[in-house]
Amino acid sequence: MSRRLTRAVIGSGIALSLLGWGAGQVGKVTLDTLRPNIRAATTAAHSARMPAFSVHLSIEVRP
């Protein structure tokens, strides 16, 4: 696999990650704007202990 293609794949992955993060931030701001009175209720709900989890993404590149 050429170096140029590898860089394009890595760059695309980073761009998709940032796009997803940005969409989440926009959704959070929109929710706070449209329904500000639920902020207190969601704060109490978010302070509850949640089970830990993680998501791992791996890309394998072979020649």
Side-chain angles (χ1 to χ4, degrees):
M1 182 179 269
S2 71
R3 182 175 293 193
R4 190 174 189 179
L5 182 58
T6 302
R7 288 183 178 178
V9 168
I10 291 171
S12 298
I14 292 170
L16 285 173
S17 175
L18 290 174
L19 182 65
W21 176 82
Q25 294 299 313
V26 168
K28 190 164 96 172
V29 169
T30 303
L31 183 63
D32 286 347
T33 303
L34 294 176
R35 302 172 81 184
N37 57 349
I38 67 165
R39 182 176 288 167
T42 57
T43 302
H46 285 225
S47 65
R49 181 104 173 120
M50 295 198 46
F53 71 95
S54 62
V55 176
H56 299 276
L57 173 66
S58 65
I59 298 173
E60 183 177 338
V61 180
R62 295 185 178 195

